[in-house]
Amino acid sequence: MKAQKQHWENVYQTKNFENVSWFQPIPEISIRFFEEINLSKNAKIIDVGAGESHFVDYLLENGYTNLTLVDISENALTKTRKRLGKSGKTIEYIVADVGSFVPNQQYDFWHDRATFHFLTEQNQIEHYTQNLQNFLRPNGYFLIGTFTEDGPTKCSGLDVKQYSETTLSELLSRFLHKIKCLNFEHLTPFDTVQKFIFCHFQLRELNF
Ligand SMILES: C[S@@+](CC[C@H](N)C(=O)[O-])C[C@H]1O[C@@H](n2cnc3c(N)ncnc32)[C@H](O)[C@@H]1O
């Protein structure tokens, strides 16, 4: 098993949801951005590096059922599947590394809180961004929450990359346009602050 996968399997085997630095009982910023775009209930939604996030709970409670959760850790998705029980029966769970995974369909909304920044190799980043280009539906949205340039340099003991509104926009500008970004200070369960930036992008219309 690759070291990265082993790391995350171990995290989810040994730590409780409430005791990891990225814990948030309600993913309030993701919800706020999501509500602004008013997607129909049959929208296809993917959460990558979903872990045990409760964003999926919000989506289910609000009538969204076309949901895909991806994580490198099988333990993480097993915990989420058990927690959701019957209410999560329509969800597709995919154990995969987002630096190499190829989706099997297109999505209207692609959510990533605190996963993209773990991709530190250029080829992984290129693969991920190419997936956005290929697997977002026309007018599809990408919502990302990631560490800022003055945010943490490590998370869960692993190196991360840091981003700003400018670097994210430059990285994605070939095919996505920025709707808006918001800086957010996440308070961890250990009373430390992690500086995040959340940015919402939409697939550009193609001009033939
Ligand atoms: C900091 S946690 C955030 C979890 C969740 N998004 C949230 O907001 O609570 C990062 C998550 O990304 C997953 N992850 C890390 N690297 C990954 C990769 N290369 N591919 C897929 N998932 C990955 C981890 O297993 C973990 O669940």
Side-chain angles (χ1 to χ4, degrees):
M1 201 188 290
K2 276 193 178 167
Q4 192 118 5
K5 179 170 169 61
Q6 183 71 63
H7 172 87
W8 288 107
E9 293 296 10
N10 186 47
V11 165
Y12 285 102
Q13 200 163 22
T14 56
K15 292 193 193 289
N16 290 330
F17 179 54
E18 297 82 5
N19 295 325
V20 289
S21 58
W22 55 94
F23 167 69
Q24 49 173 9
I26 300 171
E28 47 177 313
I29 303 297
S30 300
I31 292 172
R32 199 191 304 171
F33 275 69
F34 182 77
E35 290 188 344
E36 283 172 3
I37 57 172
N38 212 8
L39 282 185
S40 71
K41 300 294 181 194
N42 61 3
K44 291 182 190 295
I45 296 174
I46 184 167
D47 190 5
V48 302
E52 294 184 81
S53 166
H54 285 196
F55 187 51
V56 65
D57 301 57
Y58 160 83
L59 293 170
L60 289 168
E61 281 159 20
N62 285 277
Y64 293 92
T65 51
N66 260 318
L67 309 178
T68 302
L69 302 184
V70 179
D71 204 283
I72 199 168
S73 164
E74 185 165 5
N75 289 337
L77 294 184
T78 300
K79 280 173 133 177
T80 295
R81 191 200 302 258
K82 282 191 182 150
R83 176 168 57 77
L84 294 172
K86 277 191 190 151
S87 69
K89 65 181 185 304
T90 62
I91 295 174
E92 182 181 17
Y93 295 90
I94 301 177
V95 177
D97 179 339
V98 291
S100 56
F101 131 95
V102 179
N104 55 18
Q105 60 176 323
Q106 289 188 316
Y107 295 95
D108 298 292
F109 185 78
W110 182 301
H111 178 254
D112 180 329
R113 172 180 178 263
T115 302
F116 182 63
H117 56 212
F118 289 107
L119 302 183
T120 54
E121 306 286 335
Q122 196 52 31
N123 65 325
Q124 298 175 310
I125 294 170
E126 273 166 25
H127 181 90
Y128 186 108
T129 56
Q130 192 62 49
N131 272 346
L132 293 174
Q133 185 167 12
N134 295 342
F135 295 100
L136 278 176
R137 282 173 131 185
N139 301 318
Y141 294 89
F142 174 48
L143 174 57
I144 178 162
T146 186
F147 288 151
T148 55
E149 288 174 342
D150 56 352
T153 54
K154 282 188 177 273
C155 180
S156 187
L158 300 176
D159 288 338
V160 295
K161 274 184 91 78
Q162 301 166 310
Y163 291 94
S164 66
E165 179 164 350
T166 305
T167 58
L168 276 177
S169 303
E170 280 172 2
L171 183 67
L172 302 169
S173 64
R174 258 183 313 119
F175 53 94
L176 294 176
H177 78 263
K178 184 187 69 193
I179 301 173
K180 71 169 191 181
C181 295
L182 178 80
N183 286 96
F184 177 71
E185 296 198 343
H186 168 65
L187 183 64
T188 73
F190 324 115
D191 282 338
T192 55
V193 166
Q194 292 182 330
K195 290 190 178 183
F196 272 81
I197 183 162
F198 279 77
C199 287
H200 214 169
F201 292 89
Q202 188 172 23
L203 202 63
R204 283 186 190 284
E205 291 198 18
L206 294 176
N207 297 312
F208 292 105

